C-alpha cells in the first residue's frame, strides 16, 4: 500500500522483549528519538504486529475557504510536517494543488 499517496498516516504496532536495564534507559530517555534508539539497539528482536493507514480528512469548510481566498487574490500556503506525497494529496483534496502542478516548484 502507498499510504502517503493516499494521504494516510502510518501507524506500526510492534513488540520487543526488554531487559531491566533497557526499561531504565527508556525511562531516562528525554525524547521519542532517544526511546526509539533504545528499542532499536536490538532491531532483530522487534516483531511487527500490524501496520495501519489512518485517514484524517480535511475539515469540511477548508476547500471552500481556500477557493474564497484564491478568488480574493490571497495566496494560500499549506505548512505541514507530512511527507511530500501525503501533503500533495491533501493539497489536491482542498483545491490548493491541481494535477498539472509541478510539485518540485510548489513545495
Amino acid at each position: 500500500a502507498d499510504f502517503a499517496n493516499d494521504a494516510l498516516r502510518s501507524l506500526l504496532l510492534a513488540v520487543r522483549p526488554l531487559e531491566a536495564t533497557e526499561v531504565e534507559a527508556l525511562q531516562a530517555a528525554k525524547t521519542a528519538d532517544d526511546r526509539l534508539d533504545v528499542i532499536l539497539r536490538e532491531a532483530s528482536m522487534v516483531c511487527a504486529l500490524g501496520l495501519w493507514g489512518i485517514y484524517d480528512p480535511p475539515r469540511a469548510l477548508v476547500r471552500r475557504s481556500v477557493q474564497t481566498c484564491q478568488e480574493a487574490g490571497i495566496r494560500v500556503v499549506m505548512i505541514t510536517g507530512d511527507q511530500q506525497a501525503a501533503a500533495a494529496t491533501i493539497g489536491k483534496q482542498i483545491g490548493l494543488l491541481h494535477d498539472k502542478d509541478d510539485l518540485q516548484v510548489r513545495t
Side-chain angles (χ1 to χ4, degrees), residues 42-54:
E42 295 290 334
S44 64
M45 299 292 290
V46 176
C47 177
L49 299 178
L51 176 65
W52 292 269
I54 301 169

Side-chain angles (χ1 to χ4, degrees), residues 7-96:
L8 299 176
R9 291 182 171 83
S10 13
L11 177 66
L12 173 71
L13 176 65
V15 295
R16 177 189 179 288
L18 298 171
E19 297 190 13
T21 55
E22 294 169 317
V23 171
E24 291 170 5
L26 285 171
Q27 291 171 335
K30 300 238 186 283
T31 68
D33 285 339
D34 292 342
R35 289 187 290 276
L36 185 60
D37 287 341
V38 171
I39 291 168
L40 294 180
R41 281 183 198 149
E42 295 290 334
S44 64
M45 299 292 290
V46 176
C47 177
L49 299 178
L51 176 65
W52 292 269
I54 301 169
Y55 182 59
D56 183 15
R59 294 179 188 242
L61 296 178
V62 171
R63 186 175 185 84
R64 187 171 35 173
S65 297
V66 168
Q67 181 181 1
T68 300
C69 288
Q70 289 172 334
E71 289 170 355
I74 299 168
R75 179 175 174 241
V76 180
V77 298
M78 178 172 64
I79 300 172
T80 179
D82 288 327
Q83 294 182 15
Q84 182 181 12
T89 300
I90 294 166
K92 289 175 185 176
Q93 291 173 353
I94 63 172
L96 193 56

